[in-house]
Amino acid sequence: MPQSVVVVFQFGSAICFQTSPEQEREFVGLIQAHTMQALASTRTDFNTVVIRPNMAQWFAKEEDRIIVQSMDVGNVEVIARIIAQSVALDHYHSKVDHYLQDFGGVLAEVAAPSQSSSPLRLLPFSSKIRSEGLMATLCASSMLYTEVISKLGLLDTPRTAWRRDKYDAVWSALREEYQLDIRLEQLSKKLVPIQDVARFILEVRRDRAAAASEIIIIALIAVEVAIAVVHNYF
């Protein structure tokens, strides 16, 4: 593979082979110029691919580098896809960590003891809980795992690997090397507390709304009784 190669994926990753830093910046600039929405910050990963034509096996993994007999189209596709999925998965982990931080602040506010002895303390929705950002975060977190599966194709094997055993060996080895299955499971586990917090907040919201409604009804009944007493005796 004497020439530079860039592989671009629809989910936002671009993998460069045999390119200088200047070429990488140029390629990234061209790609960003044709994207619908560029990320505020980018994530990068580096790996070394060594070509050994006389190697007995088709593929081998040594410390910090990938060894292949030939860098043909099949190897380019498989290696690029794994690295692209790994970098994109890092991005989604970062998003989930941000959601967890947001929900942690909301949960802390819900759990904080009230400083007021007034019955009005039961009125629902602190400023954070009633913010539109909470519901937006809840919806986004609920959709995130499905988005990871559908966009990145982490549960799918590329056709190249399906058709040829040698490419499947590269695919399987690199998938294990980059721990894609483990990181996907970790992502799923991170989303569980977000859903639990959301359910808890909804329950608190419902209970506080019900308690506030009861107080208002009791107050209205008391006012009505007082008016009736005053009317009868005066």
Side-chain angles (χ1 to χ4, degrees):
M1 190 183 67
Q3 72 276 15
S4 300
V5 175
V6 179
V7 184
V8 182
F9 295 87
Q10 290 184 342
F11 51 80
S13 294
I15 307 302
C16 300
F17 291 98
Q18 200 163 316
T19 55
S20 65
E22 293 76 15
Q23 287 176 312
E24 290 178 8
R25 287 192 291 269
E26 181 181 357
F27 287 136
V28 170
L30 290 173
I31 295 169
Q32 289 179 335
H34 294 85
T35 56
M36 296 179 61
Q37 183 180 2
L39 297 176
S41 60
T42 59
R43 292 180 176 272
T44 58
D45 191 11
F46 299 93
N47 209 323
T48 301
V49 179
V50 178
I51 302 173
R52 290 180 183 170
N54 298 324
M55 185 172 64
Q57 65 269 36
W58 177 253
F59 163 85
K61 186 69 177 70
E62 297 181 358
E63 186 177 358
D64 297 329
R65 58 182 178 176
I66 301 167
I67 314 297
V68 294
Q69 192 181 91
S70 172
M71 199 60 174
D72 59 1
V73 175
N75 271 342
V76 168
E77 178 191 352
V78 170
I79 294 172
R81 185 173 294 276
I82 289 290
I83 297 175
Q85 289 174 333
S86 176
V87 174
L89 196 54
D90 279 344
H91 166 70
Y92 283 105
H93 268 280
S94 178
K95 289 181 69 173
V96 173
D97 290 340
H98 179 70
Y99 295 153
L100 284 171
Q101 184 177 3
D102 288 347
F103 271 80
V106 173
L107 186 59
E109 184 174 346
V110 173
S114 174
Q115 300 299 320
S116 172
S117 60
S118 169
L120 293 178
R121 71 185 186 279
L122 294 175
L123 290 175
F125 319 147
S126 67
S127 59
K128 287 185 180 179
I129 297 177
R130 65 169 177 261
S131 67
E132 296 180 357
L134 174 61
M135 293 306 298
T137 300
L138 174 60
C139 293
S141 63
S142 299
M143 295 171 56
L144 189 141
Y145 186 79
T146 302
E147 183 178 333
V148 169
I149 297 301
S150 60
K151 284 190 175 183
L152 303 190
L154 287 174
L155 301 181
D156 302 326
T157 302
R159 284 180 294 179
T160 302
W162 272 112
R163 293 172 178 172
R164 302 290 296 274
D165 290 342
K166 61 182 182 180
Y167 298 128
D168 182 68
V170 178
W171 169 261
S172 301
L174 290 182
R175 187 178 178 86
E176 183 178 356
E177 174 72 19
Y178 282 88
Q179 299 183 325
L180 294 186
D181 291 330
I182 295 175
R183 290 159 63 194
L184 180 61
E185 183 180 358
Q186 290 173 341
L187 183 72
S188 177
K189 289 181 178 179
K190 283 183 179 181
L191 289 170
V192 172
I194 296 178
Q195 303 300 325
D196 291 342
V197 170
R199 284 193 292 268
F200 173 75
I201 291 175
L202 290 175
E203 290 176 3
V204 170
R205 177 175 294 182
R206 182 192 61 196
D207 294 343
R208 289 186 178 179
S213 298
E214 291 176 3
I215 293 173
I216 293 174
I217 292 172
I218 293 172
L220 292 175
I221 293 174
V223 171
E224 185 177 353
V225 170
I227 293 174
V229 171
V230 171
H231 178 74
N232 290 335
Y233 287 93
F234 297 95

